[in-house]
Amino acid sequence: MVKIALVSCGTEYSGIQKEIEKAALKFGAEIILPEIDLDFINEAYEKFGFSAQSSSLKLMIARAMSIVEGKCKPDAVFIATCFRCAEGALVRNEVRRFIQNNTRIPVVTYSFTERTKADELFIRMEALATTVTRRSILAREKQEGLTLGLDSGSTTTKAVLMENNKVIGTGWTSTKDIIESAKIAADEAFSNTNYSWGDLDGIGTTGYGRFTMGQEFKAELVQEELSVNAKGAVYLADCQKGEATVLDIGGMDNKVITVNNGIPDNFTMGGICAGASGRFLDMTSRRLDVDITELGPLAVQGDWRKASLNSYCIVFGIQDLVTTLAAGGSKADVAMAACHSVSEQVYEQQLQEIDIREPLIQVGGTSLISGLVQAVSETLGGIEVIVPEYSQHIGAVGSALLVSGMGHRNEQ
Amino acid sequence: MVKVAIYPPNSLVIADLVERKGHQPLALQKQIRQKIKDPEIDSPPMNITEDDPIKGLKYAAIEVPSGVRGRMSIIGPIIDEAQAAIIVDNAPFGFGCVGCARTNELSIFCLRKRDIPQVELTYPTNQDETMEMINDLHAFLDKLTEMEEAGEFAEEEGDD
């Protein structure tokens, strides 16, 4: 059983201890608490050098120290502090860096509230358990052979065909029936090649429909999107070493993943507001009567400050944009204001929850809207934003990469 | 018997002193023991559930981290119930602690705000200071006994 050390400032006082244990158990892992004696707390705390006032944070530091010094030997570490606690967030990130810089133990961090449920933690625990049990797969930096990656998302299904470290075919369709959509996307990926299903060395699946597709196509790799997207992004952006942040502003939900040497260590996902999603831009392009592919180039010519936008809401915000147009505002200014609205909303709702590390790799369909990429960079104070080639197919590329070397279905 | 809130709320040393002087220490252990013994709840290790940080909203706003509100849901009622208070500042965690500096700040402020007899002492660093602290505590607890005998807590007890 995978042993996950819990390094936290008191999850038991928020009533979520049971949820953490439940989430770990689902993926064959157990939560352990690094045991330390009282004297070691002060010793470790002084050695670490962070003057935390809260004694639970001192305990966190001591637990991290006991892991780094090998007194406790977990397979993975889960670091959690209260959401909105500044001192907790500072210690959480420093403890995370300390463990990552001094060990090869995978780490996932989280800031919790009393509403945290096991379901929210599943993907993190699965990613942690994966990193432990499939370390050799995640270490893969080159794709070999002929592999197919399938990403069944809530809105679209993507397929990528890769051969010897190159993307040779891509496919895309809106998600209806999971299997049928996957077949349509895969056939599109095969269409300009001489290959078919029978030639594949391996199939990797990810996304919401990964289990269904995995069973149907007898996939060698069925993997959550946290590990797959992170790996796909750093592979395509050529940032496999060091730190990075992966941002995916989706049609329905948004994901932000922080990555250390290609392995995800924190993750935040939101999807409660259409105003913070690609849907807002879709609505804007319809109102402006331009194709969504033209929205980005149009936006970069505009100035968002010239368009009055008093609400992030998809209903009232769009209404404001219409009012601006009616008052003689330019389409370009309105397009850029819409891009800024989404990026600011994503910043306020999600990016503040996570420690942003440069470079920021923007992926997903919305990364093709250049105005949005520029708006994200501006919102984050001019941070470097990389949009790699095939960024809209990130999950499928990650799956095709990770499954390479695992499958030898031709030989079988 | 005067109900005395102590801070740190799980300090065994102070709780013992209060008890020896014939008063009732309002200690965290008792509250937690009660939660753990409750057979209806299954949320180990302390049976705190998501409802507890919500109860903590009485003491801290929604923007305050859940860990502070969860702690306040246990410590807050102790503060409300107290007829007197003993606060020890700068105590090391071995003496008793709730683990969270923000909870300490809020709890001590709530105790200070209450119009009840209280004594605030600094944790001793040598033997002389230790003797002085124990003497101060004894004097305070004796004063509480005198006040109780004079009937000064009678009305408050009736309120409970």
Side-chain angles (χ1 to χ4, degrees):
Chain A
M1 198 174 227
V2 174
K3 286 192 171 88
I4 300 176
L6 177 65
V7 175
S8 89
C9 62
T11 43
E12 65 274 26
Y13 282 106
S14 289
I16 61 157
Q17 186 70 24
K18 195 183 175 191
E19 300 298 317
I20 293 174
E21 287 174 11
K22 200 166 126 189
L25 204 60
K26 184 175 165 78
F27 297 99
E30 69 168 326
I31 295 291
I32 60 161
L33 290 170
E35 296 223 356
I36 40 179
D37 57 49
L38 215 53
D39 293 337
F40 184 71
I41 300 177
N42 273 336
E43 185 191 321
Y45 167 67
E46 277 166 27
K47 206 188 283 183
F48 191 76
F50 192 108
S51 301
Q53 280 189 320
S54 298
S55 47
S56 288
L57 295 176
K58 293 178 184 174
L59 183 63
M60 260 180 83
I61 291 168
R63 286 190 164 143
M65 187 69 78
S66 97
I67 292 166
V68 166
E69 291 186 354
K71 291 185 171 78
C72 169
K73 291 177 178 159
D75 300 306
V77 183
F78 185 71
I79 307 175
T81 59
C82 285
F83 178 52
R84 295 199 190 99
C85 176
E87 190 181 35
L90 290 170
V91 174
R92 187 181 70 234
N93 285 330
E94 293 312 321
V95 161
R96 191 256 314 158
R97 280 194 194 102
F98 179 62
I99 296 174
Q100 285 176 335
N101 291 343
N102 293 288
T103 71
R104 289 187 69 238
I105 302 171
V107 180
V108 160
T109 65
Y110 188 61
S111 55
F112 57 82
T113 71
E114 70 269 29
R115 297 284 188 202
T116 296
K117 292 287 168 218
D119 298 5
E120 290 169 49
L121 300 170
F122 281 164
I123 196 164
R124 290 174 171 82
M125 291 300 177
E126 188 183 357
L128 259 189
T130 301
T131 315
V132 174
T133 55
R134 295 181 161 173
R135 185 175 276 279
S136 60
I137 299 170
L138 288 177
R140 182 166 300 282
E141 293 184 356
K142 279 179 85 175
Q143 187 274 345
E144 288 162 1
L146 182 72
T147 57
L148 179 71
L150 293 169
D151 178 4
S152 173
S154 59
T155 316
T156 57
T157 299
K158 280 83 68 180
V160 161
L161 189 64
M162 290 185 78
E163 185 180 30
N164 298 331
N165 216 27
K166 272 189 183 159
V167 174
I168 58 165
T170 62
W172 179 99
T173 187
S174 55
T175 303
K176 288 168 188 155
D177 177 82
I178 288 176
I179 301 301
E180 283 310 309
S181 302
K183 282 180 180 168
I184 292 168
D187 287 344
E188 195 185 331
F190 283 123
S191 63
N192 289 327
T193 70
N194 295 322
Y195 296 118
S196 64
W197 290 89
D199 300 315
L200 293 170
D201 291 319
I203 298 174
T205 64
T206 190
Y208 295 104
R210 64 185 181 276
F211 293 111
T212 311
M213 292 190 302
Q215 208 169 15
E216 173 71 19
F217 303 122
K218 297 185 174 54
E220 282 76 9
L221 180 80
V222 177
Q223 195 63 56
E224 38 67 46
E225 51 269 42
L226 188 54
S227 306
V228 171
N229 287 11
K231 194 67 194 175
V234 296
Y235 167 75
L236 286 176
D238 198 19
C239 298
Q240 303 213 48
K241 293 278 175 266
E243 302 211 297
T245 307
V246 180
L247 170 65
D248 180 358
I249 302 176
M252 283 178 76
D253 60 31
N254 307 323
K255 295 183 194 76
V256 191
I257 310 166
T258 51
V259 190
N260 182 277
N261 289 332
I263 293 174
D265 57 23
N266 197 5
F267 168 73
T268 159
M269 188 165 139
I272 50 163
C273 179
S277 74
R279 193 56 56 93
F280 190 90
L281 299 176
D282 191 30
M283 294 273 285
T284 304
S285 66
R286 277 189 227 172
R287 282 286 186 163
L288 294 176
D289 198 24
V290 295
D291 191 81
I292 188 76
T293 56
E294 295 163 24
L295 188 73
L298 179 67
V300 291
Q301 293 167 30
D303 182 352
W304 59 277
R305 294 170 195 84
K306 289 184 183 163
S308 166
L309 189 61
N310 298 316
S311 172
Y312 291 135
C313 172
I314 197 159
V315 177
F316 300 114
I318 297 283
Q319 194 58 45
D320 280 348
L321 296 178
V322 172
T323 308
T324 302
L325 285 174
S330 81
K331 278 187 172 185
D333 292 344
V334 165
M336 197 56 190
C339 291
H340 255 270
S341 177
V342 172
S343 74
E344 282 169 23
Q345 175 85 313
V346 170
Y347 173 74
E348 287 185 17
Q349 284 194 359
Q350 283 186 277
L351 294 177
Q352 290 191 71
E353 291 175 22
I354 213 159
D355 62 321
I356 298 289
R357 304 171 207 163
E358 289 195 62
L360 186 134
I361 307 167
Q362 198 167 335
V363 298
T366 56
S367 65
L368 301 179
I369 302 172
S370 48
L372 181 62
V373 176
Q374 187 179 315
V376 166
S377 174
E378 285 171 4
T379 306
L380 292 171
I383 188 175
E384 182 193 1
V385 179
I386 298 173
V387 180
E389 197 182 3
Y390 304 111
S391 61
Q392 73 275 35
H393 296 292
I394 204 79
V397 171
S399 297
L401 167 70
L402 292 178
V403 76
S404 107
M406 283 179 82
H408 298 282
R409 50 175 64 202
N410 273 336
E411 293 165 22
Q412 288 160 14
Chain B
M1 185 188 279
V2 179
K3 292 175 182 172
V4 185
I6 57 174
Y7 213 90
N10 49 358
S11 168
L12 294 173
V13 176
I14 308 179
D16 184 55
L17 270 175
V18 171
E19 214 158 21
R20 279 168 193 247
K21 284 286 182 180
H23 299 298
Q24 183 191 344
L26 299 175
L28 199 63
Q29 295 88 311
K30 204 174 274 181
Q31 309 285 104
I32 290 178
R33 194 185 313 135
Q34 206 172 358
K35 288 191 89 63
I36 293 171
K37 278 168 68 184
D38 192 334
E40 297 298 317
I41 310 170
D42 180 25
S43 182
M46 298 198 305
N47 273 353
I48 289 177
T49 67
E50 68 171 284
D51 293 336
D52 292 290
I54 293 167
K55 284 178 197 153
L57 284 171
K58 184 180 171 191
Y59 307 95
I62 190 78
E63 64 193 342
V64 175
S66 55
V68 176
R69 286 184 281 115
R71 286 169 171 93
M72 286 309 291
S73 71
I74 307 172
I75 300 166
I78 291 177
I79 296 170
D80 293 343
E81 198 186 350
Q83 294 173 303
I86 296 170
I87 301 166
V88 178
D89 293 319
N90 299 332
F93 43 75
F95 185 72
C97 79
V98 293
C100 171
R102 303 291 90 81
T103 309
N104 287 344
E105 288 158 4
L106 181 60
S107 303
I108 292 172
F109 176 72
C110 289
L111 279 172
R112 285 175 185 156
K113 226 174 31 172
R114 289 220 43 209
D115 186 21
I116 52 175
Q118 46 191 285
V119 63
E120 196 160 341
L121 306 158
T122 304
Y123 187 80
T125 53
N126 56 43
Q127 198 173 351
D128 288 347
E129 286 177 8
T130 308
M131 295 302 290
E132 203 178 316
M133 182 176 115
I134 299 295
N135 288 339
D136 287 348
L137 281 172
H138 277 229
F140 177 72
L141 292 166
D142 288 341
K143 195 179 105 190
L144 290 182
T145 308
E146 286 166 22
M147 288 169 76
E148 189 186 22
E149 283 167 2
E152 290 188 36
F153 295 107
E155 202 182 322
E156 285 177 43
E157 277 172 5
D159 286 346
D160 293 340

